[in-house]
Each structure stands twice: as C-alpha cells, then as structure tokens.
Amino acid sequence: MNGQQYGGQPIYILPEGALREQGKSAQKQNIAAAKAVADAIRTTLGPRGMDKMLTDSMGDVVITNDGVTILEEMEIQHPAAKMIVEVAKTQDDEVGDGTTTAAVLAGTLLKESEALIDQNIHPTIIVQGFRLAKETCLKALDKIAIPVTLKDTDVLREIAMTAMTGKNAEAAKDFLAKIAVDAVVAVSETENGKVVIDLDNIKLEKKHGASTDNTELVRGLVIDKERVHTGMPTKVREAKIALINAALEIKETETDAAIRITDPSQMQAFVDQEEKTLRNMVDKVVASGANTLFCQKGLDDLAQHFLAKNGIYTVRRVKKSDMDALARATGGKVAMTLDDIESSDLGYAGLVEEVKIAGEAMTFVRDCKEPKAVSILVRGGTEHVVDEIHRAMEDAVGGVASTLEVGKAVAGGGSPEAELARELRRQADKVGGREQLAIDAFANALEIIPRTLAESAGIDPIDTLVELRNQHDKGVVSAGVDVFAGKVSDMAKLKVLEPLKIKTQAISSAAEAAEMILRIDDVIVASKLSGGGGPPGGMPPGMGGMEGM
Ligand code: ADP
Ligand code: MG
C-alpha cells in the first residue's frame, strides 16, 4: 500500500514492513485512541469519582484517583493516545491539579469532532471553530472569576479543600488544607505587585506508620539524614547554622607520593600533623559561632570526633537541593570553603533535632524566622495511604499556588463548564456556517464535566444538564453539580472553589491537543515499532489493553 506508480514502476518510499494509515481511517483511529484514554480515567472525576488499581510489571500496586498518575502508570503506547497523556502532564506541571479534567476534555473534543468528520466537515474547519471557541472560553472565564489575594486565607483554604475532596485525604481535609495554605503563603514573594511562588521551596516528604493527623508543616526543612556522631546532641535550641560546601577531610595527594618513614617518631609526627589540620578545620567552624553544621561534602572520622566534642550537631553529604533550601529557610549563606564562614552567614532555626520516624532517623530544622523554604511531612497509616495523601497534598499546594499567581479563582462542580457552554452556543449562532457546528461541538464537549459529576453522584445526567442550562440562562453563573446532595446548586455558595488557571490551562491544552490530532491524516509506523505481529490496523501494540478499562 505504500507504493506509488511511476511509468508502470512502483516506487516505494517506506521500508518494508512499515505500516501506514491514511485519510479518514487515520483520523478515526487516532480519535478512537484518544477517546479510549479519556474513557479510562473519566470515572475518577470529582469527589465521588472511583479509584483505579494499577499494577506494573514488577507487581507494585498503586491505588489512585489522580488522573496524571493513572495515565503515567498505564504506560500508554499509541502515539495519539500519548498526546492526551501529554495534556495531563502539562496540566500537572503548570497547575498541579485538574489533570483528569484536561485529559477527559481533550478526548471528548475529539469524540465530538468525529461526528463532524462523519458529516464531511473538513478537519481544518473544525480546527478553526475550536480556536474561536477556545478564545471565547478564556475571555468568559476571566469575566466570571473572582479576585483572590494572599490575605484571603479562607478562600485559599476552600480551594485547597476542593483540590483534596474525593482523595483519601477526605477525613483530615480541613487540617491538611490549612497546612497547604500556610506552606504556600510562607514561601510566596511579591515582585512588582505580582505574587511569585516557586514550588521547589515546598518540600513534601512522606513517611508511613502514623495517622494522617500527624502530618505537619515544618517551618524549615526535613532532611532524610541523621547526625554523624552519637556524641553529638540530639537537640539544638537557638541553632546557629553553618552551611558549608567543602569537605572536612585531608585531601588525598593526587600524585602517588610515597612518604618514607625511617623511625616511629616520624610516623607520630605525620599523624599529629593530620590531626592538627583537622582540628584547625573544626576550629574554624567553632570560631564562626556555629552550633550546627550542614556539610555538602564528606567529613573525616576525626573531624566528626572534634565536632562532637564541641557539641556541634552535624549532618554530612547533604544534597545540593537541600543545602539551597536550608539557606532559604534559615537565612544563611552556603560557604564554599572553610575560610569563608563568617558569623553573619550563619542561618538560624529555633530548633534542630534528630527524630526517629518510622524507624529512620531524620533531621528536623524547625521554627525558622520567616523561612522562604518549608517542608511538609506527610503521614499516613500505610504506604498506599501516604502515597495518596501525598498526591492530594500536591494538588492542594499546586491549586493554592496557581490561584495566588494568577490572583483569581472560579467556582467548581462543573459550573464554569456549563457557563462556557452557554456562552459558546450564543457565539455559535452569531458565527453561523460550518464553524458554528464546531463551536457547538466544543460546547457539548465541555458539558462532559458536569455530566460526569452527575453520573458519579448517581443522578440523571440529562436532567442535570437541562437544569444547569436553566439556571445559567437565569444568570446563576456558578450553578453546578452538588455531588453530595445530588442536585444542582450554586457552587460559590457551597464554597467549592478552584483556581482559574485549572480551567484556562485545561481548556487551552485540551483544545491544542485535539487540533493537533485532527490535523493528522497520515500515520506511518516504522516496521521496528510494529514488531511484525502488532494488532491489525497499523497501530503499535499497547492500545488493545486500554479499551477494557
Ligand atoms: P482533576 O484531576 O481534574 O482535578 P478531580 O477528581 O480532582 O479531577 O475532580 C475535579 C472536579 O471535581 C472539578 O470539576 C471540581 O470542580 C469538582 N469538585 C470538587 N469538589 C467538588 C464538590 N464538593 N462538589 C462538586 N464538585 C466538586
Ligand atoms: Mg483535582
């Protein structure tokens, strides 16, 4: 099939065994793959969404409700399906929440396009319509959004809670939401009137073996390391912290110099000299006034001994990222050599202590003054629980941060999607022509969100959509699906709030992925990928297994 005729001679441009699918059939297969991905995670959407249990080839089990985690664990291979996974990953990177929404939306946009392609509407027209629709959505979203600032901690907490509803974190939601908000507010900075948050400054550590209520915000850092010497104190109050990126060791000579020792006294002198050098190094730390030392490099045994004698709590081989975080948390400066440590470069923490958590000794640097880096130690009874709480926490932290950065939030529960659908249908009437059909399709696709929420709540999705349209026509812009009461309600009144960016990012990347897939009319699979025995239809293996989910 990959041969063209030229003067009676077939011309082959592809290697033997390559598979190729063209035109409508290529489009249909891509759409089918994208739909399969969306279907696989659709039922997890919302607080009443179900969980998925996934096992990998090693037999490790993951139980989750988190869109991007499911898609990553599924190890999807189909190229178009992978593009949908990319949508979820982008959403995760950019917002940290809303991954299911984004992927489901992308799949549904393609599903709606299929009907248009069947009516012989050219994909280019659909793409144009989708672009118009996307622009309209972004503008309309901005109009219905409410402003949020660093001072609106109550609103921020509602946003954190919405991000966590339906995850295993449910029981401790209030408490965890407060931690998420406090952490984000602590590390936020205002530059030219804009809030800037670097999420790298919030370190999430997880440890099983204690209930979720023991999750704590550490205003400083939790480091997965113990002090180097048992002779050192386990607790240092009013810690003055030296941060050093240099070894307290005697350098090995680089050339193989042999030292000839002719009598025992020379040996002793040599050892004494080494000891003196190390003692000198420790003296420099002591002279700076430090009572705590975090060293990025190694420590000689003897240096450890001297540090212990001086009562200095010391941790060695601290990761670079932790050193940077320590500097930001304690207000200290990392010295590059021992001679550089000055007392003004020391950081401060109210308490540095070693604590055994789940049988492992960890170092806690607590109670820093205005720390610009903090840690959250996530706890949960078992490993699976703590993993899911950790993911919920990531969603909450991400949601709060992106709300603050954009400075706006919207109501949830499918209310923005319903409002956008209404707005689009009005626009479609004005645009007319074939693009109108594409804009209508976009509106239908958006309604997958309230429709799915209704299904998960066990209420009739059609009745719900009708009621939603009624409410929105009446001007209740935040009418959405109250999944707990099983009816349409004003989500703003119920305080179900989400960051504006969840919606703008999900709609933008879903629309872009759908456009990209719609423009493809030729799929060529190199013979290597198909392995000769792949499933029929020119697709690499891996897709078949998805449809059953
Ligand atoms: P995602 O990965 O897209 O964030 P979620 O499973 O977190 O998926 O579900 C998010 C959806 O659930 C959003 O549409 C959100 O508005 C909705 N939602 C969250 N909390 C509630 C609630 N209490 N009532 C109704 N809908 C809610
Ligand atoms: Mg979510």
Side-chain angles (χ1 to χ4, degrees):
M1 121 182 114
N2 67 36
Q4 292 281 336
Q5 293 280 323
Y6 180 76
Q9 289 285 321
I11 296 175
Y12 295 101
I13 56 167
L14 292 174
E16 205 175 331
L19 296 166
R20 183 170 188 184
E21 205 62 58
Q22 281 173 290
K24 262 195 188 175
S25 140
Q27 278 155 354
K28 291 225 156 182
Q29 290 201 10
N30 281 339
I31 290 173
K35 270 194 329 199
V37 176
D39 282 345
I41 56 168
R42 196 169 78 90
T43 57
T44 69
L45 187 81
R48 307 206 84 171
M50 305 299 283
D51 294 348
K52 300 270 172 197
M53 181 188 261
L54 303 136
T55 41
D56 64 14
S57 50
M58 306 292 292
D60 284 338
V61 178
V62 176
I63 300 167
T64 184
N65 166 307
D66 191 53
V68 72
T69 308
I70 298 168
L71 294 177
E72 277 173 351
E73 293 283 332
M74 278 166 73
E75 293 175 17
I76 285 166
Q77 299 219 340
H78 188 286
K82 270 187 175 168
M83 288 172 68
I84 306 297
V85 180
E86 280 306 311
V87 169
K89 283 193 189 159
T90 311
Q91 181 80 15
D92 197 37
D93 292 342
E94 292 289 320
V95 193
D97 191 11
T99 57
T100 315
T101 305
V104 167
L105 202 53
T108 315
L109 280 171
L110 285 162
K111 183 177 169 187
E112 291 289 331
S113 319
E114 196 177 18
L116 299 181
I117 292 174
D118 285 344
Q119 294 172 48
N120 277 326
I121 296 177
H122 197 273
T124 329
I125 304 280
I126 305 177
V127 167
Q128 267 166 25
F130 279 8
R131 290 213 178 130
L132 287 174
K134 182 181 77 187
E135 290 310 317
T136 305
C137 287
L138 297 182
K139 275 191 211 131
L141 276 171
D142 202 60
K143 240 194 276 168
I144 58 174
I146 55 164
V148 184
T149 69
L150 279 166
K151 287 194 200 98
D152 302 317
T153 37
D154 285 347
V155 175
L156 293 173
R157 215 175 294 170
E158 306 294 353
I159 288 165
M161 287 213 268
T162 304
M164 286 190 287
T165 19
K167 315 262 188 247
N168 266 323
E170 196 74 41
K173 210 169 61 173
D174 272 298
F175 164 72
L176 295 175
K178 184 175 177 333
I179 291 180
V181 174
D182 288 349
V184 175
V185 171
V187 303
S188 65
E189 283 176 286
T190 311
E191 285 171 19
N192 308 324
K194 278 205 75 173
V195 180
V196 182
I197 294 151
D198 182 354
L199 287 181
D200 286 343
N201 291 324
I202 301 177
K203 185 178 173 192
L204 287 172
E205 277 279 347
K206 52 181 179 186
K207 279 271 178 288
H208 62 273
S211 89
T212 314
D213 310 339
N214 292 308
T215 297
E216 71 169 312
L217 172 65
V218 176
R219 293 186 183 274
L221 206 71
V222 180
I223 302 175
D224 219 341
K225 283 188 173 283
E226 56 193 338
R227 68 201 204 287
V228 290
H229 195 286
T230 47
M232 292 172 179
T234 50
K235 266 188 208 303
V236 179
R237 288 188 201 283
E238 300 292 313
K240 298 194 194 67
I241 302 168
L243 304 169
I244 298 177
N245 182 13
L248 271 73
E249 282 169 339
I250 310 263
K251 265 199 210 113
E252 301 266 337
T253 45
E254 299 213 338
T255 48
D256 264 337
I259 299 168
R260 208 176 297 266
I261 291 172
T262 46
D263 81 77
S265 69
Q266 277 177 326
M267 182 63 197
Q268 191 54 44
F270 182 70
V271 171
D272 288 349
Q273 185 55 40
E274 270 204 352
E275 187 179 319
K276 206 173 137 208
T277 314
L278 288 165
R279 194 187 288 272
N280 256 333
M281 289 178 166
V282 172
D283 282 347
K284 283 177 190 159
V285 177
V286 176
S288 71
N291 54 17
T292 307
L293 169 65
F294 290 95
C295 182
Q296 199 174 331
K297 302 261 166 72
L299 289 172
D300 189 280
D301 284 351
L302 210 51
Q304 295 178 20
H305 169 75
F306 292 138
L307 286 162
K309 268 194 143 175
N310 282 287
I312 297 178
Y313 187 110
T314 309
V315 180
R316 70 171 162 181
R317 299 206 185 281
V318 178
K319 274 191 297 196
K320 163 114 181 38
S321 57
D322 281 344
M323 288 300 279
D324 293 342
L326 277 168
R328 290 183 62 80
T330 66
K333 227 172 97 185
V334 180
M336 302 311 284
T337 71
L338 278 168
D339 294 317
D340 288 346
I341 358 173
E342 288 181 31
S343 54
S344 59
D345 292 340
L346 299 181
Y348 170 85
L351 177 65
V352 173
E353 62 174 342
E354 187 185 284
V355 179
K356 268 227 162 98
I357 305 267
E360 246 180 88
M362 302 177 91
T363 295
F364 283 70
V365 179
R366 298 178 187 279
D367 307 333
C368 299
K369 281 184 198 143
E370 296 190 18
K372 285 297 166 203
V374 298
S375 293
I376 299 173
L377 179 65
V378 179
R379 305 302 310 270
T382 69
E383 226 162 297
H384 290 142
V385 171
V386 87
D387 283 350
E388 189 66 346
I389 305 264
H390 182 260
R391 282 189 286 268
M393 206 58 177
E394 273 178 340
D395 287 358
V397 164
V400 173
S402 62
T403 304
L404 284 169
E405 283 194 324
V406 176
K408 284 182 179 167
V410 289
S415 66
E417 288 85 357
E419 179 65 16
L420 294 176
R422 193 185 92 95
E423 197 67 41
L424 287 175
R425 290 196 178 102
R426 283 198 351 205
Q427 183 195 22
D429 287 343
K430 283 189 220 141
V431 171
R434 294 188 159 205
E435 274 166 18
Q436 167 176 8
L437 298 175
I439 297 173
D440 272 329
F442 203 108
N444 294 339
L446 283 168
E447 282 179 337
I448 190 72
I449 303 298
R451 177 194 287 266
T452 305
L453 290 172
E455 280 170 18
S456 75
I459 50 175
D460 187 78
I462 306 289
D463 290 349
T464 308
L465 286 184
V466 171
E467 174 62 10
L468 270 176
R469 287 184 197 178
N470 261 335
Q471 294 283 333
H472 283 262
D473 282 340
K474 279 189 207 148
V476 189
V477 291
S478 45
V481 184
D482 177 354
V483 292
F484 297 110
K487 62 180 174 77
V488 168
S489 303
D490 188 332
M491 301 316 282
K493 285 202 183 121
L494 289 176
K495 304 214 184 300
V496 175
L497 297 174
E498 295 188 285
L500 171 62
K501 197 171 174 196
I502 281 199
K503 301 299 169 192
T504 53
Q505 182 68 45
I507 289 173
S508 302
S509 42
E512 277 155 27
E515 285 165 23
M516 213 186 263
I517 291 173
L518 283 172
R519 287 175 168 280
I520 299 168
D521 73 343
D522 201 346
V523 176
I524 300 160
V525 182
S527 53
K528 204 166 55 179
L529 253 180
S530 71
M539 291 301 146
M543 195 198 129
M546 266 167 9
E547 287 161 324
M549 286 198 71

